[in-house]
Amino acid sequence: MQRVAEASKSESETLNAGALLTSFAGLRRAGEIVAMEWRNMNLPVNFEDSPLMKESYDRVRAEADANRLVAVITETLQRKFPNDIPADLNSRLTALSVDELDAMFKRSIDAKSADDILTVSSPSTSLGH
């Protein structure tokens, strides 16, 4: 580990080396040891900036954002309009993009009906009941 840190020429290379080592160590079931040594060396691991890990990191982040928005929209509908919730609400919401879910969440603040929230901003599409 120390040789990797010393061999890296920039902070970015060091962070990427840490992300790569941690990832590969997980494949060999040595991840816990590598993580402990990396912490002992007091070097941060930045998966977000790692070229190898960025795509996966972005995908996981988008999925987490979407799941959070689905939960918030569902709770908002349950509290504001408990009698107007479509039976297939969850499957319909999970089919939407993060941008569509975000727009729905923003509409939910001032919504006067479930349809005000559930109408998707694409041509003639609604998640209504």
Side-chain angles (χ1 to χ4, degrees):
M1 295 293 286
Q2 190 63 38
R3 282 187 280 170
V4 170
E6 291 169 0
S8 298
K9 295 178 177 62
S10 70
E11 181 178 345
S12 174
E13 289 174 336
T14 301
L15 295 175
N16 188 40
L20 289 171
L21 277 172
T22 303
S23 296
F24 291 136
L27 296 174
R28 295 280 189 170
R29 301 183 191 266
E32 211 169 293
I33 294 167
V34 170
M36 181 182 69
E37 289 299 322
W38 200 256
R39 280 190 301 273
N40 288 343
M41 290 171 50
N42 199 28
L43 296 171
V45 176
N46 190 344
F47 289 99
E48 188 175 7
D49 292 336
S50 168
L52 178 67
M53 302 301 296
K54 182 157 182 42
E55 184 178 324
S56 294
Y57 184 87
D58 290 345
R59 181 182 43 78
V60 168
R61 178 184 277 169
E63 288 173 9
D65 288 348
N67 289 338
R68 182 180 40 80
L69 285 166
V70 166
V72 169
I73 292 166
T74 300
E75 183 174 346
T76 300
L77 283 166
Q78 288 170 341
R79 288 178 182 229
K80 289 179 93 169
F81 312 107
N83 298 322
D84 294 332
I85 299 173
D88 60 348
L89 176 66
N90 191 59
S91 63
R92 291 182 180 202
L93 291 178
T94 56
L96 299 175
S97 71
V98 171
D99 290 337
E100 290 169 318
L101 291 167
D102 189 53
M104 241 182 224
F105 167 70
K106 289 175 182 171
R107 286 193 308 271
S108 75
I109 296 167
D110 298 319
K112 304 287 187 234
S113 72
D115 284 337
D116 289 348
I117 298 171
L118 296 173
T119 301
V120 179
S121 321
S122 55
S124 306
T125 304
S126 174
L127 292 180
H129 40 284

